Amino acid sequence: MSDFERDYPDHTQAPGYQHGDEVPSNRSANRNFYQVMEARVARRQFLIGGLATLATGLIGGSLAPKPAMAKAATSSLLGFKAVPVSYQDKVVVPEGYSFQILGPTGTPISGDMPVSRPGANTGAEQEHQIGQHHDGMHFFPIEGSSNDGLIVVNHEYIEPRLLHAEKPGYKGQPIGTHSVVYDAEGRRDDDEVRMEIAAHGVSIYRTTRQADGTWAVVADPRNRRVTSGTLVELSGPVRGTPHVRTRFSPDGTQVRGTLNNCSHGVTPWNTYLAAEENWASYFSNTDKIDQKPDLPREHARYGVSTSPRGGRFGWHLAKSGADEFVRFDASAKGASPLEDYRNEPNAMGWMTEIDPFNPDAAPIKRTHLGRFAHEGVVFAPATAGGPVVCYSGDDSRFEYIYKFVSAGDFSPGQTDGAILDQGTLYVAKFNDDGTGQWLALAPGQNGLTPDKGFADLADILVNTRLAADHVGATKMDRPEWGAVDPRTGAVYFTLTNNSRRRPDQVDAANPRAANNFGQIVRWTYEGGDHTATRFAWDLFLLAGDAGNSKLADGGALNEDNIFACPDGLWFDAQSRLWIQSDMGDVGPDYDGPLKPFGMNMLLAADPTTGEVRRFMTGPWGQECTGVVTTPDGKTMFVNFQHPGAQGTGAQFAAGEFGSGFPDYNGSVPRSATVVITKDDGGVIGT
Ligand code: FEO
Ligand code: CA
Ligand code: CA
Ligand code: CA
């Protein structure tokens, strides 16, 4: 997440700016979601109400003002006592709940099971260990079990100083968050780069509940790492096209790695999709014309870095100059695209499918789902004989929400990922009156023609953002996760902030600078038909503190549930909505506008009553991301990513790492999964 960037010409100077964020790159004149929202507010049609009103009142545009409900009924879905806002460097769960740690960074899962040495492991070892910065995650039961399954977990990005804390150049040095060490020639150590590439990607490992009730990582032939160096197939309309031909893949069918895997999705055929979110800044394109950057539109619209070191870790500057590293230099260096890696960024920004039960199957990028900063993907419930529908947000400021509808029909037991290779990609337009439209991004539709610069379907997909600009999609405030209510079919999406106003513009009459705290939007369809191109939307809640928030019952958030910057979002089988906050690297010394909310947290909501309750808080510097339960709902897995990220360079030099989580033994903090159970053995949340 990050806040306020829109109002800062130099977005890196904005409060709340996170080193992981992409550079805003949408220069289109399309309307912003805040403009749409404010138009509704201005017309007193800002509806936060029940879904019945939403479905019946908004379709067709007849929207009656709705007074706030008197007081919400107490939810039968939420049976736990709220935990307070926390400023502690620890995990807090409600009374009657317990937790343990599972699979922190460095845990061996495959090969010769190299032992974890936090801060000292090699690249070769990391390739068989759980990666860093745990994010989206799913539990795939083995034979339906709630005691035995495969965890598949994304590793969004890395904290190099923690991966290398015990190595020369890092130990005892004032290394800031996100920084890497270059030698006197401006080159990087090969093994450090190899390790960083391996700490990205996805981990797949078996976990089993032991006799004493604890969960353990267990050896299994299906355990494997998919990293940002693993061979991946391209599939769908972009496969084999000139857009993705490189020195490594002259026929444009393969690429090495999936990159910056944020959230995920689970397909109706039980495979895993890993999203590629903030991938653009891993590349460097220094091509110039008249001393100015000269990037093709498929780089520029995504924010590919023009810095010689790129926007991240300078992997292309590894000392050896080996091909596996120089591919992150996207400059046109050779005589043709087959002699360099100018097209390498075109093979990133997709959804990557992984079959956790088939360790020999290469991951596959499904290009018909579009190319952007995919936060994740969520599928509508699939029905036999109908198309497959899924939704994905583009998490960068001013970007869009997309939907894919397959051409083929779902057939349980027969359908596989190939169904995602043909269909229609749409982008959302939100109207002021609470209705919305899905606009097709397809050749000849909505003005996407060759004379307007869109040669064919592959061209549209590689340039998804530009196509969405062209058709007039609504610019959203950083769409993060989506979730579909299993009971009603309503689709929920987190919008992590909506900062219209700078903090110094706040006055008594304009208190909505706190609107920077984000909101959750939801929509439904007439007849529950997810393939429909019209929908009805409202806001489920406005996050914030007691003076700057709104719940579905019309009331404000209170001490039991104030939170900001909704990010992770997941419905459990009983329709409990789990909400995770990502306020960035907040720690004990944080003193900005997000201070009232303490450390990042997990909350639960009842989508019917609108009630929200804080379930769990985490340690210093982390964000809370990735949540799933076993099928019986009795074991929950939650990730804490980047603990200690707020630690300064001076602290690092002194051997203070910003958090002790999860080992609390003086070694570097590590991202990890927290396993939560209820002491009475009941369903989590009850
Ligand atoms: Fe990776 Fe948008 O959070
Ligand atoms: Ca983050
Ligand atoms: Ca986020
Ligand atoms: Ca996220």
Side-chain angles (χ1 to χ4, degrees), residues 1-2 156 262 277 375 395 478 480 496 566-567 582 623:
M1 65 69 60
S2 74
E156 185 180 22
C262 189
E277 192 193 10
E375 174 75 13
D395 179 15
R478 302 198 58 182
E480 301 255 25
T496 205
D567 187 340
D582 174 11
E623 73 178 83

Side-chain angles (χ1 to χ4, degrees), residues 170-512:
Y170 291 84
K171 192 174 177 62
Q173 298 300 308
I175 312 285
T177 182
H178 202 234
S179 295
V180 295
V181 172
Y182 293 86
D183 69 14
E185 282 77 50
R187 311 291 297 210
R188 294 212 55 212
D189 178 82
D190 273 48
D191 195 66
E192 288 173 12
V193 174
R194 181 178 173 184
M195 186 187 193
E196 292 164 21
I197 289 172
H200 282 73
V202 182
S203 295
I204 300 135
Y205 67 88
R206 186 173 184 176
T207 184
T208 307
R209 189 202 293 269
Q210 309 296 296
D212 65 358
T214 62
W215 289 76
V217 175
V218 296
D220 190 274
R222 291 163 292 200
N223 289 3
R224 66 165 155 157
R225 286 301 320 282
V226 171
T227 76
S228 294
T230 300
L231 186 69
V232 176
E233 289 285 326
L234 297 172
S235 189
V238 176
R239 176 185 169 90
T241 64
H243 301 283
V244 285
R245 292 179 190 155
T246 64
R247 188 160 91 195
F248 177 76
S249 183
D251 63 357
T253 57
Q254 293 179 324
V255 66
R256 284 163 289 186
T258 180
L259 194 51
N260 201 272
N261 301 107
C262 189
S263 178
H264 71 293
V266 182
T267 66
W269 48 96
N270 208 36
T271 61
Y272 184 91
L273 288 173
E276 298 181 342
E277 192 193 10
N278 296 322
W279 47 271
S281 48
Y282 289 76
F283 293 96
S284 164
N285 184 340
T286 55
D287 290 345
K288 287 190 174 61
I289 191 165
D290 296 337
Q291 320 286 310
K292 294 209 183 82
D294 179 32
L295 268 57
R297 64 179 186 168
E298 63 272 19
H299 291 189
R301 182 65 179 81
Y302 293 88
V304 167
S305 175
T306 57
S307 159
R309 286 183 171 178
R312 291 267 184 157
F313 312 119
W315 287 344
H316 58 292
L317 297 173
K319 211 171 295 181
S320 67
D323 192 71
E324 67 196 276
F325 305 129
V326 297
R327 67 196 173 96
F328 292 98
D329 184 345
S331 313
K333 289 189 140 52
S336 89
L338 302 188
E339 293 174 33
D340 58 31
Y341 288 104
R342 72 187 72 175
N343 286 335
E344 191 79 349
N346 300 348
M348 298 293 170
W350 308 104
M351 293 294 319
T352 300
E353 184 176 19
I354 296 170
D355 183 351
F357 292 98
N358 185 356
D360 300 322
I364 301 174
K365 299 204 185 195
R366 298 293 177 188
T367 63
H368 215 328
L369 302 189
R371 175 172 174 260
F372 45 91
H374 280 278
E375 174 75 13
V377 65
V378 61
F379 285 79
T383 41
V388 167
V389 179
C390 59
Y391 302 91
S392 182
D394 183 351
D395 179 15
S396 192
R397 301 187 70 89
F398 314 114
E399 297 299 343
Y400 308 120
I401 296 177
Y402 297 86
K403 160 167 112 167
F404 174 82
V405 180
S406 71
D409 290 334
F410 180 60
S411 175
Q414 305 271 306
T415 294
D416 62 19
I419 198 170
L420 300 177
D421 289 341
Q422 286 187 313
T424 305
L425 184 67
Y426 298 88
V427 67
K429 182 176 183 201
F430 291 77
N431 301 318
D432 294 357
D433 64 1
T435 66
Q437 291 146 268
W438 290 105
L439 305 168
L441 304 179
Q445 295 199 47
N446 296 308
L448 297 172
T449 53
D451 65 304
K452 295 286 194 250
F454 299 96
D456 55 21
L457 181 56
D459 197 25
I460 289 170
L461 293 170
V462 168
N463 295 290
T464 301
R465 282 181 171 176
L466 285 164
D469 293 345
H470 191 74
V471 305
T474 304
K475 292 175 171 180
M476 309 298 283
D477 291 313
R478 302 198 58 182
E480 301 255 25
W481 292 43
V484 178
D485 187 337
R487 242 179 358 190
T488 65
V491 187
Y492 289 65
F493 258 79
T494 49
L495 301 168
T496 205
N497 64 53
N498 184 22
S499 50
R500 173 70 192 277
R501 199 180 298 274
R502 287 196 302 262
D504 63 4
Q505 292 175 314
V506 168
D507 59 38
N510 299 284
R512 284 306 298 182

